[in-house]
């Protein structure tokens, strides 16, 4: 069989918690072809822009290839044996000297279940400390706490099909269109078929609102008031299920007392800022629609009242008996590909593996026997922020960070950088060579990444899918479970970590879920109730069966038998078997709005980037949709601040300040602004949103308040600006501290946008000089120092290696009002072209050939830009998104840009009357 004929291998997407199935095959030229898996129940063949671009992110560029140890100020490559010995001996020494709680692991929902299981087993079972926490603390911990309080276990009762069966879908605190795009597509298609109603609750007007029948732009943090009001309304209007409440729940009276204390419409109006008619429309629809699904995510979880927000939603579903029934359930959608798997194997500091608890002596005894250890941790460890604060105070002296980038993603990130810099011993396992966190590592360990590693992940609907190895791993990269097990063996825990492969680990974990539940006989659609998380049916699977395992939803009582829904019969995992109502009260976010910091900053995600961009940032397609760190603000605020589209603004909070491009739109309400948190010190000089965020967190879950920070905004004028393309990634390192820059991946190289307080002529000289100084002499170059734009190009072997344009005003490439955008997109494609090329000529004449006037990419799949679309709308009279698709192909790939195409259509219509 030739390479070209290699068969399609089934696996799971690397990114979000939808957990889409993919099929991939390696081509003889080393590339990876990826398509949606039509047989996977999460997506039935659909993929979003990020999933479709997976093949573009698996190259060797930027990969971490060998273990390294820091000596003084530089790193030395070492063999695995030395790296592992270093970690094991340093951990052992610190434990011996300062006790077991002086070490910690900070892990991630991007580890596979097998990696996660082994990390947890080592820390809690053998080191004997529970100081292992995960970035899921920042992500899902309020939902975990809310589920446990209401249902007795951390369980999502529903499944994706419910989104297609529902007559009403309430999307709250979720930008599903951009963050769970395939679920959004499934809902959009279902809506077209069955006309279900959709309500979006979000202070921002997001692309998700595109399918909404009603958008409730609530004040940040006011969800509890809204849902308490709903509970009161349901009760007053006898829209509750009395039988269900009686037989299946406890605690309604207290919850209602809270709700009524504050639940009249006027109070709800005052706190949420909504109009009475909007509130009533929502309440009436909820009351009268039996098949209602409420989907919620970070707008709910990432709050100082996150857990109570979750319970205020669950209360309304319990009151109406709508839990785990077809088309009728609350639905917490998870963020990371394996956020769920981590929760299952005890990745959070306050839980044990397999949903067992520290305070249950039966559980702890069973685990001791199962793992054959007498050193099991006896009480919960430190939650993420407390963990880093304990590093700061010196209580923790060694931390091992795996598959997460806390120097970017934790609140008050500058402080986290200082904490890591001062920590006596930092180990980081990652698959890329440079991240903000890696810069603080004493030991750097190269992990296999997506496409190389093999194991399982659990998605938002409890579905366990295999991630399979698709490509050989580069350099010395090893699976995370292997790295952890080798360290464990070297620390002296050999017998417990003698795994041959990932299947060994999975079997052990599946057996663990059955502990104390052996008496449950297999039955088809009713789950065991003490700990519904049971993988009985997978506890003895062969390695061959493991490798061929089809996606299945836990509990799995028999091999290949999925459970789609839980709790439908009204029996819960609490000791009484009844679900609990929880009394909740509205509390405003912890920030202090003042004259000094008058705006509310909301942070979150954009469509085509994943978190700190270590992988999506490698794809030029994904980097062109929104290419710079930006601040979205309302027209009114922009006017008052005298800020124009594309201006730089300084955003400051009590914690620090950053520079962002102003993006003026109708998304945010007056007084509120939004910034994505993806950019970091590796790709911009001053644009890391978490610099601004305080450490305020939910007292129950420990989840930080990422969605509400008091900030100030002021224009940050500059006198010159440059767009620079280069084959080289490190041009930014040649700049002085005086210049502000962002660096973006583009075709064959990088695009830097640089602003400066120097005059255009000075900036031009500065750039030209550092490029020439750094280059071998005798290189061909062209230098045009003209007004208003000066240009420069450096050739290598007759082909463009670096080129730039300097001016006092280059319009923003992220301009959404981009119909006026200047024609710089040809710059993206200049690298590697000879002098004779018409595009290179365009650099010097300043006139772009019309075929290169595409504009900012809107459709990442088909690479269609804003100008091409606008032209089609105007000249080919496109009246619908479908028409645009026919004319330009935009929107005909994954569909993630459909909302934006609709917005463009509307905008042109408004403009042209
Ligand atoms: N493209 C992309 N997709 C992703 C990710 C990514 O990095 N990029 N990350 C994945 C991960 S790990 C996660 S956790 C998920 C997150 O998925 P989401 O939770 O959908 O994403 P966010 O953008 O963080 O925030 C959701 C919305 O909450 C709103 N919000 C803010 N404050 C409030 C409030 O007080 N009340 C309500 N009701 N809403 C509020 C925000 O305006 C925002 O639109 O996305 C996953 N999918
Ligand atoms: N302001 C603000 N901050 C936020 C949020 C927000 O909404 N606003 N959201 C929070 C949420 S919900 C989340 S989930 C976090 C996410 O934040 P992080 O977890 O910090 O973000 P990632 O970029 O996903 O980091 C993953 C790292 O692991 C590496 N990696 C990838 N695969 C592997 C692997 O298999 N093995 C190893 N060892 N390494 C690997 C990647 O290269 C990358 O460096 O951010 C949180 N921070
Ligand atoms: S929705 Fe997109 S990012 Fe999420 S799993 Fe599916 S393809 Fe991947
Ligand atoms: Mo997340």
């Amino acid at each position: 069989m030739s390479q070209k004929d290699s068969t399609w291998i089934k696996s799971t997407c690397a990114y979000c918690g939808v957990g889409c199935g993919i099929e991939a095959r390696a081509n003889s030229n080393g590339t990876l072809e990826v398509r949606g898996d039509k047989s996977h129940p999460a997506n039935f063949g659909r993929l979003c822009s990020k999933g479709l671009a997976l093949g573009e992110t698996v190259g060797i560029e930027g990969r971490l290839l060998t273990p390294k140890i820091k000596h003084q100020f530089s790193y030395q490559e070492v063999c695995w044996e030395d790296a592992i010995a270093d970690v094991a001996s340093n951990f052992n020494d610190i434990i011996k000297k300062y006790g077991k709680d002086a070490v910690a692991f900070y892990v991630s929902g991007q580890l596979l279940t097998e990696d996660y299981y082994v990390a947890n087993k080592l820390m809690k079972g053998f080191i004997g400390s529970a100081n292992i926490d995960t970035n899921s603390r920042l992500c899902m911990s309020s939902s975990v706490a809310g589920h446990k309080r209401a249902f007795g276990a951390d369980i999502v009762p529903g499944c994706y099909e419910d989104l297609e069966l529902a007559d009403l879908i309430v999307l709250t605190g979720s930008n599903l269109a951009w963050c769970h795009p395939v679920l959004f597509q499934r809902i959009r298609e279902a809506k077209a078929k069955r006309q279900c109603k959709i309500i979006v609750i979000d202070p921002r007007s997001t692309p998700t609102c595109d399918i909404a029948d009603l958008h409730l732009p609530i004040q940040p943090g006011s969800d509890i008031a809204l849902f308490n009001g709903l509970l009161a309304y349901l009760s007053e209007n006898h829209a509750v299920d009395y039988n269900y409440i009686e037989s299946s729940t406890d605690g309604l009276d207290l919850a209602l007392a809270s709700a009524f204390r504050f639940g009249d419409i006027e109070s709800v109006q005052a706190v949420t800022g909504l109009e009475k008619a909007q509130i009533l429309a929502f309440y009436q629809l909820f009351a009268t629609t039996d098949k209602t699904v409420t989907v919620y995510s970070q707008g709910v979880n990432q709050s100082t009242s996150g857990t109570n927000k979750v319970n205020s939603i669950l209360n309304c579903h319990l009151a109406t008996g709508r839990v785990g029934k077809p088309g009728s359930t609350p639905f917490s959608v998870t963020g990371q590909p394996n956020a769920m798997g981590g929760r299952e194997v005890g990745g959070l500091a306050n839980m044990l593996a397999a949903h067992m608890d520290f305070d249950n002596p039966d559980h702890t005894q069973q685990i001791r026997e199962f793992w054959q250890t007498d050193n099991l941790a006896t009480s919960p460890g430190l939650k993420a922020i407390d963990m880093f604060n304990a590093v700061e105070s010196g209580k923790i002296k060694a931390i091992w960070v795996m598959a997460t980038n806390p120097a970017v993603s934790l609140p008050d990130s500058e402080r986290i950088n200082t904490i890591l810099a001062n920590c006596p011993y930092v180990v980081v396992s990652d698959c890329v060579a440079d991240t903000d966190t890696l810069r603080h590592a004493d030991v750097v360990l190269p992990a296999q990444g997506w496409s190389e590693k093999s194991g399982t992940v659990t998605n938002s609907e409890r579905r366990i899918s295999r991630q399979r190895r698709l490509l050989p791993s580069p350099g010395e990269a090893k699976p995370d479970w292997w790295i952890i097990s080798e360290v464990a063996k070297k620390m002296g825990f050999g017998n417990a970590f003698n795994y041959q492969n990932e299947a060994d680990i999975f079997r052990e974990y599946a057996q663990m879920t059955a502990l104390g539940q052996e008496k449950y006989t297999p039955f088809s659609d009713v789950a065991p109730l003490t700990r519904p998380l049971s993988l009985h049916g997978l506890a003895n699977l062969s390695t061959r069966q493991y490798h061929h395992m089809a996606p299945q939803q836990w509990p799995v009582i028999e091999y290949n038998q999925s459970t789609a829904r839980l709790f439908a019969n009204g029996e819960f995992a609490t000791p009484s078997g009844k679900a609990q109502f929880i009394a909740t009260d509205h509390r405003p976010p912890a920030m202090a709005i003042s004259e000094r910091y008058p705006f509310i900053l909301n942070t979150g995600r954009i469509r085509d980037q994943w978190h700190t961009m270590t992988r999506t940032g490698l794809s030029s397609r994904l980097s062109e949709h929104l290419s710079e760190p930006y601040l979205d603000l309302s027209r009114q605020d922009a006017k008052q601040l005298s800020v124009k589209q594309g201006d730089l603004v300084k955003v400051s909070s009590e914690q620090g300040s950053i520079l962002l491009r102003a993006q003026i739109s109708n998304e945010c309400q007056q007084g509120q602004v939004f910034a994505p948190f993806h950019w970091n010190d590796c790709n911009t000089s001053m644009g890391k949103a978490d610099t601004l965020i305080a450490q305020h967190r939910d007292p129950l879950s420990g989840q930080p308040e990422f969605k509400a920070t008091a900030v100030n905004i002021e224009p940050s004028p500059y006198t010159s600006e440059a767009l620079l393309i280069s084959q080289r990634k490190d041009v930014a390192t040649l700049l002085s501290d005086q210049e502000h820059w962002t660096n973006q991946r583009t075709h064959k190289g990088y695009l830097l946008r640089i602003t400066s307080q120097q005059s255009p002529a000075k900036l031009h000289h500065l750039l030209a000089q550092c490029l020439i100084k750094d280059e071998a002499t005798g290189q061909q170059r062209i230098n045009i120092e003209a007004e208003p734009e000066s240009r420069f190009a450096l050739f290598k072997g007759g082909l463009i290696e670096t080129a730039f344009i300097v001016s006092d005003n280059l319009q923003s490439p992220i301009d959404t009002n981009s119909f006026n955008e200047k024609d710089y997109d040809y710059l993206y494609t200049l690298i590697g072209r000879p002098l004779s090329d018409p595009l290179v000529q365009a650099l010097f004449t300043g006139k772009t050939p019309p075929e290169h006037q595409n504009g900012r990419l809107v459709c990442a799949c088909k690479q269609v830009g804003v100008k091409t679309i606008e032209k089609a709308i105007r000249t080919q009279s496109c009246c619908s998104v479908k028409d645009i698709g026919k004319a330009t192909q935009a929107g005909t790939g994954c569909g993630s840009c459909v909302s934006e195409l609709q917005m463009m259509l509307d905008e042109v219509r408004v403009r042209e009357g």
Side-chain angles (χ1 to χ4, degrees):
M1 191 172 71
S2 76
Q3 266 279 301
K4 198 168 173 292
D5 295 322
S6 71
T7 44
W8 293 93
I9 300 173
K10 286 184 194 294
S11 186
T12 316
C13 174
Y15 301 116
C16 84
V18 179
C20 294
I22 61 128
E23 291 177 327
R25 69 174 172 193
N27 288 328
S28 42
N29 60 5
T31 58
L32 189 72
E33 239 180 300
V34 175
R35 67 183 186 196
D37 175 1
K38 291 207 167 72
S39 69
H40 197 289
N43 56 317
F44 297 107
R46 301 172 189 86
L47 290 178
C48 76
S49 50
K50 292 182 298 302
L52 281 169
L54 276 165
E56 291 161 40
T57 62
V58 294
I60 193 146
E61 182 193 329
R63 284 297 300 271
L64 182 61
L65 299 174
T66 46
K68 287 185 266 186
I69 298 181
K70 196 187 210 166
H71 291 288
Q72 302 274 341
F73 299 108
S74 65
Y75 286 96
Q76 238 168 32
E77 293 188 356
V78 296
C79 63
W80 269 112
E81 223 180 346
D82 290 354
I84 281 160
D86 197 88
V87 178
S89 64
N90 274 290
F91 266 69
N92 271 342
D93 289 351
I94 288 168
I95 292 166
K96 210 161 153 195
K97 232 168 151 180
Y98 303 101
K100 54 197 181 181
D101 290 325
V103 298
F105 294 167
Y106 183 58
V107 302
S108 159
Q110 289 163 81
L111 291 174
L112 299 171
T113 299
E114 292 75 2
D115 307 322
Y116 237 134
Y117 176 85
V118 175
N120 180 62
K121 182 178 178 183
L122 172 57
M123 185 52 86
K124 293 203 185 112
F126 289 83
I127 290 176
S129 165
N131 281 345
I132 171 168
D133 209 42
T134 148
N135 62 359
S136 286
R137 182 68 58 198
L138 321 178
C139 183
M140 302 312 305
S141 58
S142 297
S143 277
V144 173
H147 286 154
K148 287 193 81 171
R149 288 203 298 184
F151 305 147
D154 172 25
I155 280 170
V156 172
C159 62
Y160 296 157
E161 194 191 25
D162 293 328
L163 300 170
E164 288 153 347
L165 298 174
D167 294 318
L168 170 65
I169 300 176
V170 181
L171 297 167
T172 180
S174 157
N175 184 8
L176 210 72
W178 279 11
C179 298
H180 299 89
V182 164
L183 292 186
F184 185 76
Q185 286 176 39
R186 285 180 71 164
I187 294 177
R188 191 199 279 282
E189 286 161 27
K191 182 170 179 170
K193 275 191 210 131
R194 349 185 11 253
Q195 273 88 48
C196 60
K197 289 271 186 278
I198 292 165
I199 298 178
V200 174
I201 305 170
D202 193 315
R204 258 191 331 149
S205 166
T206 65
T208 303
C209 297
D210 186 38
I211 56 166
D213 297 281
L214 179 64
H215 171 215
L216 302 179
I218 56 167
Q219 282 304 304
S222 63
D223 306 63
I224 293 176
L226 184 66
F227 280 91
N228 273 1
L230 173 59
L231 186 65
Y233 178 95
L234 294 171
S235 167
E236 271 178 342
N237 291 279
H238 305 287
V240 296
D241 184 338
Y242 294 107
N243 290 335
Y244 186 88
I245 292 168
E246 175 63 28
S247 63
S248 299
T249 71
D250 272 330
L252 175 64
D253 291 349
L254 282 178
L256 266 184
S258 266
F260 275 119
R261 240 191 336 268
F262 215 64
D264 61 290
I265 298 286
E266 286 68 30
S267 306
V268 176
Q269 246 184 299
V271 177
T272 60
L274 299 172
E275 286 160 24
K276 189 170 180 177
Q278 292 175 308
I279 299 170
L280 282 176
F282 166 42
Y283 288 180
Q284 274 156 11
L285 255 176
F286 194 100
T288 53
T289 314
D290 200 34
K291 289 200 166 176
T292 293
V293 176
T294 305
V295 174
Y296 56 96
S297 184
Q298 300 316 350
V300 169
N301 291 333
Q302 289 174 338
S303 150
T304 40
S305 21
T307 308
N308 279 343
K309 280 190 184 186
V310 168
N311 285 108
S312 70
I313 295 170
L314 299 183
N315 284 346
C316 296
H317 275 266
L318 286 172
T320 46
R322 298 172 190 159
V323 180
K325 295 176 181 163
S328 187
T329 190
F331 204 147
S332 148
V333 282
T334 49
Q336 298 174 91
N338 200 30
M340 287 290 254
R343 285 147 73 174
E344 291 154 16
V345 298
L348 290 161
N350 50 323
M351 289 164 81
L352 290 169
H355 281 187
M356 294 200 263
D357 290 313
F358 281 106
D359 55 12
N360 183 325
D362 289 343
H363 289 175
T364 47
Q365 190 48 34
Q366 281 156 1
I367 296 178
R368 274 191 206 99
E369 281 168 23
F370 183 72
W371 279 346
Q372 301 197 4
T373 178
D374 49 16
N375 203 22
L376 184 74
T378 48
S379 56
L382 294 172
K383 301 185 177 112
I385 292 180
D386 297 324
M387 181 181 276
F388 280 84
N389 289 346
V391 176
E392 185 177 44
S393 70
K395 265 169 101 177
I396 292 177
K397 305 215 181 292
I399 188 164
W400 185 353
V401 178
M402 307 175 203
T404 175
N405 196 357
V408 183
S409 57
L410 273 173
D412 205 355
S413 50
E414 289 322 292
R415 178 166 168 200
I416 300 296
N417 275 280
T418 310
I419 291 173
L420 284 170
N422 294 333
C423 178
Y425 193 63
V426 179
V427 183
V428 180
S429 309
D430 207 295
C431 44
V432 303
D434 190 18
T435 71
D436 292 19
T437 302
L438 273 165
R439 294 173 179 184
H440 302 295
D442 294 290
V443 180
V444 173
L445 303 173
Q448 289 179 350
W450 181 87
S451 79
E452 299 144 17
K453 58 185 185 177
S454 159
T456 54
V457 289
T458 310
N459 73 2
S460 294
E461 55 166 1
R462 286 173 283 104
R463 192 179 297 280
I464 300 172
S465 293
R466 287 277 285 114
Q467 262 192 25
R468 294 191 172 86
R469 193 167 291 125
L470 310 167
L471 295 168
S473 51
E476 301 284 312
K478 293 283 188 193
D480 285 290
W481 67 259
W482 180 90
I483 304 172
I484 304 159
S485 303
E486 289 304 304
V487 169
K489 286 187 217 166
K490 201 80 189 171
M491 287 180 79
F493 310 122
N495 288 342
F497 294 88
N498 270 327
Y499 302 111
Q500 296 306 306
N501 52 42
E502 55 277 15
D504 279 353
I505 304 169
F506 185 82
R507 264 188 299 269
E508 181 179 311
Y509 159 55
Q511 282 158 16
M512 193 170 185
T513 64
L515 292 181
Q517 312 209 87
E518 292 86 354
K519 64 179 181 288
Y520 288 101
T521 46
F523 36 109
S524 55
D525 53 0
V526 188
L529 283 174
T530 53
R531 289 202 328 271
L533 166 56
S534 170
L535 306 183
H536 267 74
L538 303 173
N540 296 309
L541 84 180
S542 67
T543 302
R544 200 187 129 76
Q545 279 174 318
Y546 174 79
H547 285 306
H548 292 278
M549 192 162 82
Q552 45 205 295
Q553 282 166 293
W554 63 257
V556 182
I557 309 300
E558 277 180 292
Y559 183 63
N560 262 342
Q561 167 268 321
S562 263
T563 314
R565 298 181 182 85
L566 283 163
F567 306 141
N569 60 358
E571 279 182 48
F572 290 86
T574 53
S576 65
K578 290 184 171 187
Q580 295 293 316
F581 284 95
I582 304 289
T584 59
D585 283 310
H586 164 73
R587 249 188 319 132
M591 68 185 170
I593 288 286
S594 62
E595 241 169 68
R596 215 165 145 211
Y597 300 111
F599 293 93
I600 303 176
L601 170 74
N602 173 2
T603 60
R605 295 156 168 79
I606 62 171
R607 191 189 78 191
D608 287 352
Q609 291 297 347
W610 176 261
H611 297 167
T612 70
M613 302 168 71
T614 61
R615 291 169 293 159
T616 42
L618 293 170
S619 158
S620 62
R621 268 201 294 174
L622 295 181
S623 300
E624 283 180 32
H625 179 235
L626 292 165
S627 57
E628 281 186 85
Y630 68 88
L631 184 79
D632 200 287
L633 74 169
S634 70
R635 293 182 200 286
Q636 301 93 314
D637 288 333
K639 201 168 160 200
Q640 221 159 48
L641 293 163
S642 304
V643 167
K644 291 189 308 301
Q645 184 83 328
D647 281 357
L648 267 188
V649 289
K650 182 173 168 193
V651 189
S652 323
S653 75
E654 291 278 4
Q655 274 59 47
S657 51
I658 59 174
L659 289 178
L660 302 173
R661 287 279 164 192
Q663 173 166 291
I664 302 162
S665 79
N666 297 326
E667 269 195 28
C668 289
Q669 301 178 50
Q670 197 171 357
Q672 299 174 22
V673 293
F674 173 86
F677 78 100
H678 304 292
W679 278 270
N680 53 73
D681 290 348
C682 293
N683 48 33
T684 182
S685 54
M686 240 186 122
K688 199 161 60 181
D690 278 284
T691 305
L692 305 173
I693 313 277
Q695 289 200 338
H696 304 304
R697 51 204 183 272
D698 181 289
L700 297 161
S701 68
Q703 183 152 357
E705 186 144 73
F706 283 122
K707 301 286 189 246
T709 302
V711 296
N712 185 38
I713 301 163
E714 52 197 318
S716 176
Y718 50 86
T719 31
S720 62
E721 140 165 74
L723 280 180
L724 181 151
I725 48 124
S726 181
Q727 236 161 18
R728 303 169 41 178
K729 192 182 179 181
D730 62 348
V731 175
T733 60
L734 307 175
L735 301 171
S736 74
D737 287 347
Q738 308 299 310
E739 284 77 45
H740 168 258
W741 56 270
T742 59
N743 195 2
Q744 168 203 342
R745 188 80 173 84
T746 177
H747 307 279
K748 298 184 189 165
Y750 297 87
L751 175 74
L752 262 91
R753 185 161 187 204
I754 301 157
T755 56
S756 170
Q757 304 296 345
Q758 317 254 29
S759 69
K762 275 204 174 139
L763 179 61
H764 182 106
H765 276 279
L766 196 134
L767 290 175
Q769 243 160 27
C770 63
L771 286 168
I772 299 163
K773 191 169 63 187
D774 199 64
E775 281 301 327
T777 44
Q779 290 222 321
Q780 187 187 4
R781 52 180 179 264
I782 289 173
N783 195 17
I784 299 181
E785 295 182 47
E787 300 276 341
E789 276 175 16
S790 64
R791 302 173 212 102
F792 178 94
L794 195 67
F795 293 79
K796 202 176 187 177
L799 308 175
I800 286 203
E801 189 219 44
T802 302
F804 64 75
I805 296 178
V806 174
S807 154
D808 58 358
N809 176 26
L810 297 166
Q811 190 133 355
S812 166
I814 62 153
D815 194 343
T816 44
N817 179 10
S818 42
F819 302 153
N820 311 318
E821 211 173 79
K822 287 193 187 170
D823 301 322
Y824 292 121
D825 21 313
Y826 74 98
L827 263 182
Y828 288 34
T829 60
L830 275 185
I831 294 174
R833 289 180 190 265
L835 184 58
S836 56
D837 189 292
L839 275 184
V840 180
Q841 296 301 313
L843 177 67
F844 298 109
T845 57
K847 291 200 183 88
T848 315
E851 67 274 20
H852 283 275
Q853 298 179 2
N854 193 21
R856 180 182 63 86
L857 269 200
V858 173
C859 174
C861 303
K862 304 288 174 188
Q863 311 225 29
V864 192
V866 80
K867 282 186 214 156
T868 310
I869 296 163
E870 192 236 359
K871 202 166 138 201
I873 297 175
R874 289 227 167 93
T875 60
Q876 302 184 42
S877 327
C878 297
C879 295
S880 66
V881 170
K882 247 196 182 138
D883 290 348
I884 298 179
K886 270 193 207 133
T888 67
Q889 287 206 308
T892 60
C894 74
S896 302
C897 63
V898 166
S899 309
E900 218 168 324
L901 295 178
Q902 186 61 51
M903 265 160 49
M904 288 183 66
L905 266 174
D906 297 343
E907 207 168 316
V908 173
R909 269 192 214 128
V910 170
R911 275 169 196 230
E912 316 224 316

